[in-house]
Amino acid sequence: MNGASREALAGARESLTALTDSTSADAAALADELAAVTALLDREVSLRRVLTDPAQSGDAKAELVQRVLGGRISGPAADLVSGMVRSRWSAPRDLVDATEELADLADLVAAERDGSLDDVEDELFRFARTAASSPDLRSALTSRTADASAKRELVRTLLTGRVRPATERLIVRLVIQPRGRSLEAGLDALSKLAAERRNRSVAVVTSAVPLSDEQKRRLGAALAKLYGRQVHLNLDVDPELVGGIRVQVGDEVINGSVADRLEQAQRRMAG
């Protein structure tokens, strides 16, 4: 997003925080309502263009939101969207992206409230690994010809009772409304959003053998000191590493594996 949209999104996030800080606000229900608005704006190109048209007054756009959405979603949800359209957006698509992000954030708030946010982060990571290792599953989840209800049922068959409710809702929404994203990119974005909710980074840690609790504690402390904030560890095992670990935080890779050192030695010898 460009400058204007980034500012608008920041304001929308603040409004969502204020709304969900209220004990009477049902964050999971709000997530469903915002997801419905996302789907509507994604379909209706002319509507999102009108709602982001800088030539239209903020009041006029907010009134249009109330006319279109009034009765279809709750008053607080409609007020939240009305506030969003009063802001300036660099591109109509940015409004849709922001509404989608708020829906995901609302589900993460629901997870935070019931103490399951850490579990949700881990479950999103594990599901991403499962999908990546199963071409048939990935194909079924990303098929452009499969019916949305069939995809929803597949995800629920796989996850219901095995993951937290927020995890299931987030993955179902991503699968049936990918909006041009790959499954991998969507799951990665959700993991980062969950980490951000706790003001921490995500480190993907790959080791030759599972790490002990003490090793995880020491690694987490070292990364927190390095990055100046808490770092959540997503753990994976790859016996081909031979030994050591590989840590990726965002685009930065810290590679301490034996296999990597051997490869470096071979390159030096070849040179």
Side-chain angles (χ1 to χ4, degrees):
M1 290 185 183
N2 293 327
S5 289
R6 282 198 300 270
E7 291 180 10
L9 175 58
R13 282 183 163 204
E14 290 179 4
S15 297
L16 177 70
T17 298
L19 177 58
T20 53
D21 277 348
S22 168
T23 55
S24 62
D26 185 335
L30 180 61
D32 286 340
E33 292 176 317
L34 290 170
V37 174
T38 301
L40 174 65
L41 294 177
D42 196 46
R43 290 194 311 270
E44 302 296 337
V45 178
S46 59
L47 176 60
R48 68 173 182 257
R49 284 178 177 167
V50 171
L51 293 177
T52 55
D53 184 357
Q56 301 290 327
S57 71
D59 287 344
K61 289 184 285 189
E63 289 173 5
L64 177 58
V65 166
Q66 294 294 339
R67 289 201 305 272
V68 172
L69 300 179
R72 300 173 66 175
I73 60 177
S74 67
D79 290 343
L80 179 60
V81 179
S82 295
M84 293 175 70
V85 301
R86 290 178 184 274
S87 299
R88 181 184 172 192
W89 297 90
S90 303
R93 197 74 177 172
D94 290 347
L95 174 62
V96 194
D97 293 342
T99 307
E100 179 179 58
E101 182 171 312
L102 292 191
D104 294 337
L105 278 172
D107 260 330
L108 294 173
V109 169
E112 187 175 30
R113 283 181 175 178
D114 65 21
S116 66
L117 185 54
D118 283 348
D119 291 333
V120 170
E121 286 187 72
D122 290 334
E123 289 162 357
L124 288 169
F125 175 74
R126 289 200 300 272
F127 184 81
R129 283 293 185 266
T130 298
S133 64
S134 175
D136 289 342
L137 173 60
R138 187 186 182 283
S139 178
L141 294 174
T142 59
S143 171
R144 295 184 178 182
T145 58
D147 185 78
S149 60
K151 292 183 180 181
R152 182 186 291 108
E153 186 60 31
L154 173 59
V155 173
R156 288 178 174 170
T157 298
L158 292 169
L159 301 182
T160 299
R162 298 180 177 87
V163 299
R164 298 288 183 166
T167 306
E168 183 177 332
R169 290 195 299 268
L170 288 165
I171 293 175
V172 165
R173 212 156 48 231
L174 172 62
V175 168
I176 65 176
Q177 295 179 18
R179 300 190 52 244
R181 295 170 299 178
S182 69
L183 182 61
E184 294 81 3
L187 289 169
D188 183 59
L190 289 173
S191 294
K192 289 178 179 177
L193 203 59
E196 184 186 322
R197 181 69 194 173
R198 290 246 187 233
N199 192 29
R200 61 186 178 186
S201 297
V202 174
V204 178
V205 180
T206 308
S207 57
V209 296
L211 300 182
S212 67
D213 290 340
E214 176 61 16
Q215 287 173 318
K216 288 184 282 188
R217 185 195 67 76
R218 290 170 58 190
L219 177 59
L223 290 172
K225 184 176 180 179
L226 176 63
Y227 289 99
R229 58 186 180 275
Q230 188 179 5
V231 178
H232 177 74
L233 306 182
N234 281 338
L235 304 173
D236 199 12
V237 175
D238 181 3
E240 294 186 2
L241 280 180
V242 183
I245 61 173
R246 180 180 185 275
V247 180
Q248 181 168 349
V249 180
D251 294 330
E252 184 176 0
V253 176
I254 306 169
N255 202 329
S257 69
V258 171
D260 183 66
R261 292 197 293 272
L262 288 173
E263 183 178 338
Q264 291 177 1
Q266 289 173 342
R267 285 201 299 267
R268 287 196 296 270
M269 291 176 63

